[in-house]
PDB file of all heavy atoms in Angstrom:
ATOM      1  N   THR A 399     101.177 104.099 131.454  1.00  0.00           N
ATOM      2  CA  THR A 399     100.520 102.873 130.985  1.00  0.00           C
ATOM      3  C   THR A 399      99.830 103.110 129.645  1.00  0.00           C
ATOM      4  O   THR A 399      99.913 102.290 128.720  1.00  0.00           O
ATOM      5  CB  THR A 399      99.497 102.376 132.020  1.00  0.00           C
ATOM      6  OG1 THR A 399     100.127 102.274 133.298  1.00  0.00           O
ATOM      7  CG2 THR A 399      98.925 101.025 131.620  1.00  0.00           C
ATOM      8  N   THR A 400      99.153 104.258 129.538  1.00  0.00           N
ATOM      9  CA  THR A 400      98.491 104.610 128.284  1.00  0.00           C
ATOM     10  C   THR A 400      99.502 104.735 127.151  1.00  0.00           C
ATOM     11  O   THR A 400      99.266 104.257 126.028  1.00  0.00           O
ATOM     12  CB  THR A 400      97.703 105.922 128.442  1.00  0.00           C
ATOM     13  OG1 THR A 400      96.734 105.780 129.483  1.00  0.00           O
ATOM     14  CG2 THR A 400      97.011 106.310 127.153  1.00  0.00           C
ATOM     15  N   THR A 401     100.632 105.365 127.431  1.00  0.00           N
ATOM     16  CA  THR A 401     101.678 105.531 126.417  1.00  0.00           C
ATOM     17  C   THR A 401     102.164 104.175 125.902  1.00  0.00           C
ATOM     18  O   THR A 401     102.360 103.983 124.697  1.00  0.00           O
ATOM     19  CB  THR A 401     102.868 106.329 127.000  1.00  0.00           C
ATOM     20  OG1 THR A 401     102.405 107.614 127.400  1.00  0.00           O
ATOM     21  CG2 THR A 401     103.977 106.466 125.977  1.00  0.00           C
ATOM     22  N   TYR A 402     102.337 103.236 126.824  1.00  0.00           N
ATOM     23  CA  TYR A 402     102.784 101.894 126.426  1.00  0.00           C
ATOM     24  C   TYR A 402     101.787 101.261 125.457  1.00  0.00           C
ATOM     25  O   TYR A 402     102.165 100.765 124.376  1.00  0.00           O
ATOM     26  CB  TYR A 402     102.949 100.997 127.658  1.00  0.00           C
ATOM     27  CG  TYR A 402     103.356  99.578 127.296  1.00  0.00           C
ATOM     28  CD1 TYR A 402     104.696  99.214 127.248  1.00  0.00           C
ATOM     29  CD2 TYR A 402     102.391  98.609 126.976  1.00  0.00           C
ATOM     30  CE1 TYR A 402     105.076  97.917 126.894  1.00  0.00           C
ATOM     31  CE2 TYR A 402     102.752  97.320 126.621  1.00  0.00           C
ATOM     32  CZ  TYR A 402     104.097  96.982 126.577  1.00  0.00           C
ATOM     33  OH  TYR A 402     104.477  95.707 126.206  1.00  0.00           O
ATOM     34  N   PHE A 403     100.505 101.274 125.829  1.00  0.00           N
ATOM     35  CA  PHE A 403      99.516 100.593 125.000  1.00  0.00           C
ATOM     36  C   PHE A 403      99.244 101.330 123.688  1.00  0.00           C
ATOM     37  O   PHE A 403      98.892 100.699 122.687  1.00  0.00           O
ATOM     38  CB  PHE A 403      98.234 100.363 125.793  1.00  0.00           C
ATOM     39  CG  PHE A 403      98.357  99.240 126.786  1.00  0.00           C
ATOM     40  CD1 PHE A 403      98.317  99.490 128.149  1.00  0.00           C
ATOM     41  CD2 PHE A 403      98.556  97.938 126.352  1.00  0.00           C
ATOM     42  CE1 PHE A 403      98.452  98.450 129.061  1.00  0.00           C
ATOM     43  CE2 PHE A 403      98.700  96.886 127.262  1.00  0.00           C
ATOM     44  CZ  PHE A 403      98.646  97.142 128.620  1.00  0.00           C
ATOM     45  N   LEU A 404      99.418 102.634 123.680  1.00  0.00           N
ATOM     46  CA  LEU A 404      99.299 103.362 122.422  1.00  0.00           C
ATOM     47  C   LEU A 404     100.431 102.989 121.467  1.00  0.00           C
ATOM     48  O   LEU A 404     100.227 102.826 120.259  1.00  0.00           O
ATOM     49  CB  LEU A 404      99.306 104.878 122.666  1.00  0.00           C
ATOM     50  CG  LEU A 404      97.974 105.499 123.078  1.00  0.00           C
ATOM     51  CD1 LEU A 404      98.174 106.974 123.434  1.00  0.00           C
ATOM     52  CD2 LEU A 404      96.943 105.371 121.945  1.00  0.00           C
ATOM     53  N   GLU A 405     101.626 102.845 122.015  1.00  0.00           N
ATOM     54  CA  GLU A 405     102.763 102.434 121.184  1.00  0.00           C
ATOM     55  C   GLU A 405     102.523 101.029 120.626  1.00  0.00           C
ATOM     56  O   GLU A 405     102.779 100.764 119.443  1.00  0.00           O
ATOM     57  CB  GLU A 405     104.056 102.452 122.020  1.00  0.00           C
ATOM     58  CG  GLU A 405     105.302 102.116 121.206  1.00  0.00           C
ATOM     59  CD  GLU A 405     106.568 102.075 122.039  1.00  0.00           C
ATOM     60  OE1 GLU A 405     106.555 102.556 123.196  1.00  0.00           O
ATOM     61  OE2 GLU A 405     107.578 101.535 121.534  1.00  0.00           O
ATOM     62  N   LEU A 406     102.034 100.139 121.474  1.00  0.00           N
ATOM     63  CA  LEU A 406     101.714  98.787 121.020  1.00  0.00           C
ATOM     64  C   LEU A 406     100.624  98.834 119.937  1.00  0.00           C
ATOM     65  O   LEU A 406     100.735  98.166 118.899  1.00  0.00           O
ATOM     66  CB  LEU A 406     101.238  97.938 122.199  1.00  0.00           C
ATOM     67  CG  LEU A 406     100.668  96.554 121.837  1.00  0.00           C
ATOM     68  CD1 LEU A 406     101.733  95.677 121.205  1.00  0.00           C
ATOM     69  CD2 LEU A 406     100.063  95.877 123.072  1.00  0.00           C
ATOM     70  N   SER A 407      99.606  99.622 120.176  1.00  0.00           N
ATOM     71  CA  SER A 407      98.480  99.707 119.238  1.00  0.00           C
ATOM     72  C   SER A 407      98.922 100.218 117.870  1.00  0.00           C
ATOM     73  O   SER A 407      98.430  99.749 116.828  1.00  0.00           O
ATOM     74  CB  SER A 407      97.385 100.608 119.805  1.00  0.00           C
ATOM     75  OG  SER A 407      96.850 100.068 120.993  1.00  0.00           O
ATOM     76  N   LYS A 408      99.841 101.179 117.857  1.00  0.00           N
ATOM     77  CA  LYS A 408     100.331 101.697 116.586  1.00  0.00           C
ATOM     78  C   LYS A 408     101.077 100.617 115.801  1.00  0.00           C
ATOM     79  O   LYS A 408     100.975 100.531 114.575  1.00  0.00           O
ATOM     80  CB  LYS A 408     101.231 102.907 116.825  1.00  0.00           C
ATOM     81  CG  LYS A 408     100.454 104.149 117.247  1.00  0.00           C
ATOM     82  CD  LYS A 408     101.372 105.300 117.633  1.00  0.00           C
ATOM     83  CE  LYS A 408     100.555 106.501 118.109  1.00  0.00           C
ATOM     84  NZ  LYS A 408     101.408 107.613 118.589  1.00  0.00           N
ATOM     85  N   LYS A 409     101.823  99.782 116.517  1.00  0.00           N
ATOM     86  CA  LYS A 409     102.517  98.675 115.843  1.00  0.00           C
ATOM     87  C   LYS A 409     101.505  97.674 115.288  1.00  0.00           C
ATOM     88  O   LYS A 409     101.658  97.163 114.171  1.00  0.00           O
ATOM     89  CB  LYS A 409     103.463  97.968 116.834  1.00  0.00           C
ATOM     90  CG  LYS A 409     104.664  98.792 117.266  1.00  0.00           C
ATOM     91  CD  LYS A 409     105.578  97.984 118.197  1.00  0.00           C
ATOM     92  CE  LYS A 409     106.706  98.835 118.770  1.00  0.00           C
ATOM     93  NZ  LYS A 409     107.612  99.365 117.734  1.00  0.00           N
ATOM     94  N   VAL A 410     100.469  97.401 116.084  1.00  0.00           N
ATOM     95  CA  VAL A 410      99.468  96.424 115.661  1.00  0.00           C
ATOM     96  C   VAL A 410      98.678  96.931 114.453  1.00  0.00           C
ATOM     97  O   VAL A 410      98.511  96.208 113.457  1.00  0.00           O
ATOM     98  CB  VAL A 410      98.505  96.076 116.818  1.00  0.00           C
ATOM     99  CG1 VAL A 410      97.385  95.160 116.320  1.00  0.00           C
ATOM    100  CG2 VAL A 410      99.261  95.410 117.962  1.00  0.00           C
ATOM    101  N   THR A 411      98.191  98.173 114.532  1.00  0.00           N
ATOM    102  CA  THR A 411      97.397  98.696 113.411  1.00  0.00           C
ATOM    103  C   THR A 411      98.234  98.820 112.139  1.00  0.00           C
ATOM    104  O   THR A 411      97.733  98.613 111.031  1.00  0.00           O
ATOM    105  CB  THR A 411      96.767 100.056 113.763  1.00  0.00           C
ATOM    106  OG1 THR A 411      97.784 100.957 114.233  1.00  0.00           O
ATOM    107  CG2 THR A 411      95.708  99.906 114.846  1.00  0.00           C
ATOM    108  N   LYS A 412      99.513  99.126 112.315  1.00  0.00           N
ATOM    109  CA  LYS A 412     100.412  99.167 111.161  1.00  0.00           C
ATOM    110  C   LYS A 412     100.571  97.769 110.568  1.00  0.00           C
ATOM    111  O   LYS A 412     100.562  97.585 109.335  1.00  0.00           O
ATOM    112  CB  LYS A 412     101.771  99.728 111.568  1.00  0.00           C
ATOM    113  CG  LYS A 412     102.748  99.879 110.403  1.00  0.00           C
ATOM    114  CD  LYS A 412     104.076 100.462 110.873  1.00  0.00           C
ATOM    115  CE  LYS A 412     105.057 100.602 109.710  1.00  0.00           C
ATOM    116  NZ  LYS A 412     106.364 101.157 110.161  1.00  0.00           N
ATOM    117  N   GLY A 413     100.712  96.779 111.446  1.00  0.00           N
ATOM    118  CA  GLY A 413     100.829  95.397 110.986  1.00  0.00           C
ATOM    119  C   GLY A 413      99.564  94.922 110.294  1.00  0.00           C
ATOM    120  O   GLY A 413      99.626  94.248 109.253  1.00  0.00           O
ATOM    121  N   LEU A 414      98.408  95.270 110.845  1.00  0.00           N
ATOM    122  CA  LEU A 414      97.141  94.891 110.229  1.00  0.00           C
ATOM    123  C   LEU A 414      96.994  95.540 108.861  1.00  0.00           C
ATOM    124  O   LEU A 414      96.478  94.934 107.908  1.00  0.00           O
ATOM    125  CB  LEU A 414      95.972  95.282 111.130  1.00  0.00           C
ATOM    126  CG  LEU A 414      95.850  94.526 112.455  1.00  0.00           C
ATOM    127  CD1 LEU A 414      94.706  95.082 113.293  1.00  0.00           C
ATOM    128  CD2 LEU A 414      95.653  93.028 112.212  1.00  0.00           C
TER     129      LEU A 414
END
Side-chain angles (χ1 to χ4, degrees):
T399 308
T400 301
T401 299
Y402 178 92
F403 284 113
L404 278 174
E405 183 182 346
L406 171 64
S407 297
K408 287 174 183 176
K409 291 183 186 298
V410 174
T411 53
K412 183 179 179 181
L414 293 176

